[in-house]
Amino acid sequence: MQENRLGEIRMVAFDVDGTLFSSESIIFKTYVQAIEEFAAKTGKIASLPTHDQIMNEIGKPVRTIFANLLPSLPEVERDTISARVLDLLCDSIRSGGGDFYAGVGSTIHYLKEKGYTITCASNGRKAYIETVLDTAGVLQYFEPIVVINQDTIHTKGEILAEYVRKYNLEPKSIAMIGDRFSDWEAAKENGCPFGFCTYGHGLPGEIPDFHWKFDDLPTLKEFF
């Protein structure tokens, strides 16, 4: 393991959407299709969320997204729509939808060759994350992924805490890499160093501070 600028990093935990992959080009279509299908079957939805309403929710925990978009529906019905969105997204990704950021494969391979343990800390569901990583050809480099389960783990911060516990690591040895405030917040809560991906979906001024800044994925190689 090489030395790096903040001492001995052993694990690199990636956010997914906005860091390794962008679903921006397919997300609105899949949400609209799933909601329209539900509305056609039940007649319960009078109007669809707008493009801006949907896109402003992306990156939040899934149940939070659907509670904000469809507050009049009971949770069980929101979960039905959510499950359909997941199926549509995964099918689209496997068919070439969405956009991988340049250097995903080479950067992940580099980190693995250097001996880092590679994980994810994402608000996305397991099937979505694994479809993204598998389609990129890098799933085999990742440790078993901890995800939000709505039981013991509800946030990215709790995902990082579980990695600390599971791998018996000091928080300062886990680098959180992401583009949004929720990534920064998870790192801050756990005392993990944070790498800010400027190319992702973050808004100007959203990230209060960072330990590293990356304008593209291959730049990680300069720090790790």
PDB file of all heavy atoms in Angstrom, residues 156-172:
ATOM      1  N   LYS A 156     -26.202   7.234   3.963  1.00  0.00           N
ATOM      2  CA  LYS A 156     -24.829   6.959   3.544  1.00  0.00           C
ATOM      3  C   LYS A 156     -23.874   6.963   4.733  1.00  0.00           C
ATOM      4  O   LYS A 156     -22.907   6.202   4.768  1.00  0.00           O
ATOM      5  CB  LYS A 156     -24.363   8.000   2.526  1.00  0.00           C
ATOM      6  CG  LYS A 156     -24.948   7.841   1.148  1.00  0.00           C
ATOM      7  CD  LYS A 156     -24.347   8.854   0.191  1.00  0.00           C
ATOM      8  CE  LYS A 156     -25.043   8.799  -1.152  1.00  0.00           C
ATOM      9  NZ  LYS A 156     -24.485   9.768  -2.111  1.00  0.00           N
ATOM     10  N   GLY A 157     -24.161   7.829   5.695  1.00  0.00           N
ATOM     11  CA  GLY A 157     -23.320   7.852   6.892  1.00  0.00           C
ATOM     12  C   GLY A 157     -23.338   6.513   7.607  1.00  0.00           C
ATOM     13  O   GLY A 157     -22.304   6.042   8.094  1.00  0.00           O
ATOM     14  N   GLU A 158     -24.504   5.893   7.674  1.00  0.00           N
ATOM     15  CA  GLU A 158     -24.602   4.578   8.312  1.00  0.00           C
ATOM     16  C   GLU A 158     -23.954   3.494   7.462  1.00  0.00           C
ATOM     17  O   GLU A 158     -23.448   2.504   7.993  1.00  0.00           O
ATOM     18  CB  GLU A 158     -26.069   4.259   8.601  1.00  0.00           C
ATOM     19  CG  GLU A 158     -26.639   5.154   9.706  1.00  0.00           C
ATOM     20  CD  GLU A 158     -28.113   4.920   9.963  1.00  0.00           C
ATOM     21  OE1 GLU A 158     -28.751   4.103   9.253  1.00  0.00           O
ATOM     22  OE2 GLU A 158     -28.655   5.567  10.888  1.00  0.00           O
ATOM     23  N   ILE A 159     -23.940   3.670   6.140  1.00  0.00           N
ATOM     24  CA  ILE A 159     -23.199   2.742   5.277  1.00  0.00           C
ATOM     25  C   ILE A 159     -21.711   2.799   5.612  1.00  0.00           C
ATOM     26  O   ILE A 159     -21.060   1.765   5.801  1.00  0.00           O
ATOM     27  CB  ILE A 159     -23.423   3.073   3.791  1.00  0.00           C
ATOM     28  CG1 ILE A 159     -24.861   2.758   3.380  1.00  0.00           C
ATOM     29  CG2 ILE A 159     -22.442   2.290   2.914  1.00  0.00           C
ATOM     30  CD1 ILE A 159     -25.216   3.179   1.963  1.00  0.00           C
ATOM     31  N   LEU A 160     -21.161   4.003   5.696  1.00  0.00           N
ATOM     32  CA  LEU A 160     -19.737   4.135   6.036  1.00  0.00           C
ATOM     33  C   LEU A 160     -19.445   3.572   7.421  1.00  0.00           C
ATOM     34  O   LEU A 160     -18.426   2.901   7.619  1.00  0.00           O
ATOM     35  CB  LEU A 160     -19.301   5.600   5.961  1.00  0.00           C
ATOM     36  CG  LEU A 160     -19.139   6.219   4.578  1.00  0.00           C
ATOM     37  CD1 LEU A 160     -18.601   7.646   4.703  1.00  0.00           C
ATOM     38  CD2 LEU A 160     -18.205   5.395   3.699  1.00  0.00           C
ATOM     39  N   ALA A 161     -20.338   3.824   8.367  1.00  0.00           N
ATOM     40  CA  ALA A 161     -20.152   3.290   9.719  1.00  0.00           C
ATOM     41  C   ALA A 161     -20.122   1.770   9.708  1.00  0.00           C
ATOM     42  O   ALA A 161     -19.365   1.138  10.467  1.00  0.00           O
ATOM     43  CB  ALA A 161     -21.250   3.799  10.640  1.00  0.00           C
ATOM     44  N   GLU A 162     -20.926   1.161   8.853  1.00  0.00           N
ATOM     45  CA  GLU A 162     -20.941  -0.298   8.741  1.00  0.00           C
ATOM     46  C   GLU A 162     -19.626  -0.806   8.154  1.00  0.00           C
ATOM     47  O   GLU A 162     -19.109  -1.846   8.586  1.00  0.00           O
ATOM     48  CB  GLU A 162     -22.115  -0.746   7.878  1.00  0.00           C
ATOM     49  CG  GLU A 162     -22.204  -2.250   7.645  1.00  0.00           C
ATOM     50  CD  GLU A 162     -22.400  -3.070   8.908  1.00  0.00           C
ATOM     51  OE1 GLU A 162     -22.717  -2.506   9.971  1.00  0.00           O
ATOM     52  OE2 GLU A 162     -22.241  -4.306   8.828  1.00  0.00           O
ATOM     53  N   TYR A 163     -19.053  -0.090   7.197  1.00  0.00           N
ATOM     54  CA  TYR A 163     -17.743  -0.490   6.669  1.00  0.00           C
ATOM     55  C   TYR A 163     -16.671  -0.387   7.752  1.00  0.00           C
ATOM     56  O   TYR A 163     -15.784  -1.246   7.851  1.00  0.00           O
ATOM     57  CB  TYR A 163     -17.357   0.368   5.466  1.00  0.00           C
ATOM     58  CG  TYR A 163     -18.124   0.061   4.199  1.00  0.00           C
ATOM     59  CD1 TYR A 163     -18.654   1.079   3.424  1.00  0.00           C
ATOM     60  CD2 TYR A 163     -18.310  -1.258   3.778  1.00  0.00           C
ATOM     61  CE1 TYR A 163     -19.355   0.810   2.260  1.00  0.00           C
ATOM     62  CE2 TYR A 163     -19.009  -1.538   2.614  1.00  0.00           C
ATOM     63  CZ  TYR A 163     -19.532  -0.500   1.855  1.00  0.00           C
ATOM     64  OH  TYR A 163     -20.227  -0.777   0.702  1.00  0.00           O
ATOM     65  N   VAL A 164     -16.729   0.665   8.553  1.00  0.00           N
ATOM     66  CA  VAL A 164     -15.780   0.809   9.670  1.00  0.00           C
ATOM     67  C   VAL A 164     -15.862  -0.403  10.590  1.00  0.00           C
ATOM     68  O   VAL A 164     -14.847  -0.995  10.976  1.00  0.00           O
ATOM     69  CB  VAL A 164     -16.073   2.109  10.456  1.00  0.00           C
ATOM     70  CG1 VAL A 164     -15.275   2.132  11.762  1.00  0.00           C
ATOM     71  CG2 VAL A 164     -15.735   3.342   9.613  1.00  0.00           C
ATOM     72  N   ARG A 165     -17.102  -0.777  10.916  1.00  0.00           N
ATOM     73  CA  ARG A 165     -17.308  -1.917  11.817  1.00  0.00           C
ATOM     74  C   ARG A 165     -16.917  -3.238  11.160  1.00  0.00           C
ATOM     75  O   ARG A 165     -16.180  -4.047  11.732  1.00  0.00           O
ATOM     76  CB  ARG A 165     -18.782  -1.976  12.234  1.00  0.00           C
ATOM     77  CG  ARG A 165     -19.097  -3.059  13.258  1.00  0.00           C
ATOM     78  CD  ARG A 165     -20.568  -3.426  13.275  1.00  0.00           C
ATOM     79  NE  ARG A 165     -20.989  -4.036  12.024  1.00  0.00           N
ATOM     80  CZ  ARG A 165     -20.742  -5.320  11.706  1.00  0.00           C
ATOM     81  NH1 ARG A 165     -20.067  -6.098  12.523  1.00  0.00           N
ATOM     82  NH2 ARG A 165     -21.161  -5.807  10.545  1.00  0.00           N
ATOM     83  N   LYS A 166     -17.388  -3.448   9.955  1.00  0.00           N
ATOM     84  CA  LYS A 166     -17.215  -4.733   9.275  1.00  0.00           C
ATOM     85  C   LYS A 166     -15.750  -5.044   8.993  1.00  0.00           C
ATOM     86  O   LYS A 166     -15.312  -6.192   9.120  1.00  0.00           O
ATOM     87  CB  LYS A 166     -18.007  -4.720   7.961  1.00  0.00           C
ATOM     88  CG  LYS A 166     -17.959  -6.021   7.180  1.00  0.00           C
ATOM     89  CD  LYS A 166     -18.835  -5.900   5.936  1.00  0.00           C
ATOM     90  CE  LYS A 166     -18.785  -7.185   5.114  1.00  0.00           C
ATOM     91  NZ  LYS A 166     -19.629  -7.082   3.881  1.00  0.00           N
ATOM     92  N   TYR A 167     -14.994  -4.021   8.624  1.00  0.00           N
ATOM     93  CA  TYR A 167     -13.594  -4.229   8.248  1.00  0.00           C
ATOM     94  C   TYR A 167     -12.626  -3.832   9.356  1.00  0.00           C
ATOM     95  O   TYR A 167     -11.414  -3.905   9.169  1.00  0.00           O
ATOM     96  CB  TYR A 167     -13.279  -3.470   6.960  1.00  0.00           C
ATOM     97  CG  TYR A 167     -13.993  -4.052   5.754  1.00  0.00           C
ATOM     98  CD1 TYR A 167     -15.257  -3.608   5.388  1.00  0.00           C
ATOM     99  CD2 TYR A 167     -13.409  -5.064   5.003  1.00  0.00           C
ATOM    100  CE1 TYR A 167     -15.927  -4.151   4.304  1.00  0.00           C
ATOM    101  CE2 TYR A 167     -14.056  -5.610   3.903  1.00  0.00           C
ATOM    102  CZ  TYR A 167     -15.323  -5.153   3.560  1.00  0.00           C
ATOM    103  OH  TYR A 167     -15.983  -5.696   2.480  1.00  0.00           O
ATOM    104  N   ASN A 168     -13.181  -3.412  10.491  1.00  0.00           N
ATOM    105  CA  ASN A 168     -12.355  -3.043  11.644  1.00  0.00           C
ATOM    106  C   ASN A 168     -11.312  -1.995  11.260  1.00  0.00           C
ATOM    107  O   ASN A 168     -10.116  -2.138  11.544  1.00  0.00           O
ATOM    108  CB  ASN A 168     -11.676  -4.283  12.239  1.00  0.00           C
ATOM    109  CG  ASN A 168     -11.098  -4.014  13.620  1.00  0.00           C
ATOM    110  OD1 ASN A 168     -11.601  -3.166  14.365  1.00  0.00           O
ATOM    111  ND2 ASN A 168     -10.043  -4.722  13.970  1.00  0.00           N
ATOM    112  N   LEU A 169     -11.777  -0.937  10.636  1.00  0.00           N
ATOM    113  CA  LEU A 169     -10.905   0.121  10.147  1.00  0.00           C
ATOM    114  C   LEU A 169     -11.078   1.397  10.964  1.00  0.00           C
ATOM    115  O   LEU A 169     -12.138   1.648  11.529  1.00  0.00           O
ATOM    116  CB  LEU A 169     -11.215   0.430   8.684  1.00  0.00           C
ATOM    117  CG  LEU A 169     -10.907  -0.651   7.653  1.00  0.00           C
ATOM    118  CD1 LEU A 169     -11.457  -0.242   6.295  1.00  0.00           C
ATOM    119  CD2 LEU A 169      -9.408  -0.901   7.561  1.00  0.00           C
ATOM    120  N   GLU A 170     -10.045   2.195  11.002  1.00  0.00           N
ATOM    121  CA  GLU A 170     -10.161   3.555  11.511  1.00  0.00           C
ATOM    122  C   GLU A 170     -10.893   4.393  10.458  1.00  0.00           C
ATOM    123  O   GLU A 170     -10.628   4.249   9.258  1.00  0.00           O
ATOM    124  CB  GLU A 170      -8.779   4.152  11.764  1.00  0.00           C
ATOM    125  CG  GLU A 170      -8.013   3.497  12.901  1.00  0.00           C
ATOM    126  CD  GLU A 170      -8.626   3.826  14.247  1.00  0.00           C
ATOM    127  OE1 GLU A 170      -9.217   4.918  14.383  1.00  0.00           O
ATOM    128  OE2 GLU A 170      -8.502   2.988  15.157  1.00  0.00           O
ATOM    129  N   PRO A 171     -11.817   5.260  10.866  1.00  0.00           N
ATOM    130  CA  PRO A 171     -12.526   6.075   9.877  1.00  0.00           C
ATOM    131  C   PRO A 171     -11.587   6.856   8.960  1.00  0.00           C
ATOM    132  O   PRO A 171     -11.884   7.019   7.766  1.00  0.00           O
ATOM    133  CB  PRO A 171     -13.373   7.010  10.742  1.00  0.00           C
ATOM    134  CG  PRO A 171     -13.638   6.226  11.987  1.00  0.00           C
ATOM    135  CD  PRO A 171     -12.367   5.465  12.237  1.00  0.00           C
ATOM    136  N   LYS A 172     -10.466   7.309   9.489  1.00  0.00           N
ATOM    137  CA  LYS A 172      -9.542   8.094   8.667  1.00  0.00           C
ATOM    138  C   LYS A 172      -8.877   7.270   7.571  1.00  0.00           C
ATOM    139  O   LYS A 172      -8.246   7.837   6.668  1.00  0.00           O
ATOM    140  CB  LYS A 172      -8.471   8.736   9.549  1.00  0.00           C
ATOM    141  CG  LYS A 172      -7.539   7.743  10.229  1.00  0.00           C
ATOM    142  CD  LYS A 172      -6.548   8.447  11.124  1.00  0.00           C
ATOM    143  CE  LYS A 172      -5.605   7.445  11.817  1.00  0.00           C
ATOM    144  NZ  LYS A 172      -4.659   8.135  12.710  1.00  0.00           N
TER     145      LYS A 172
END
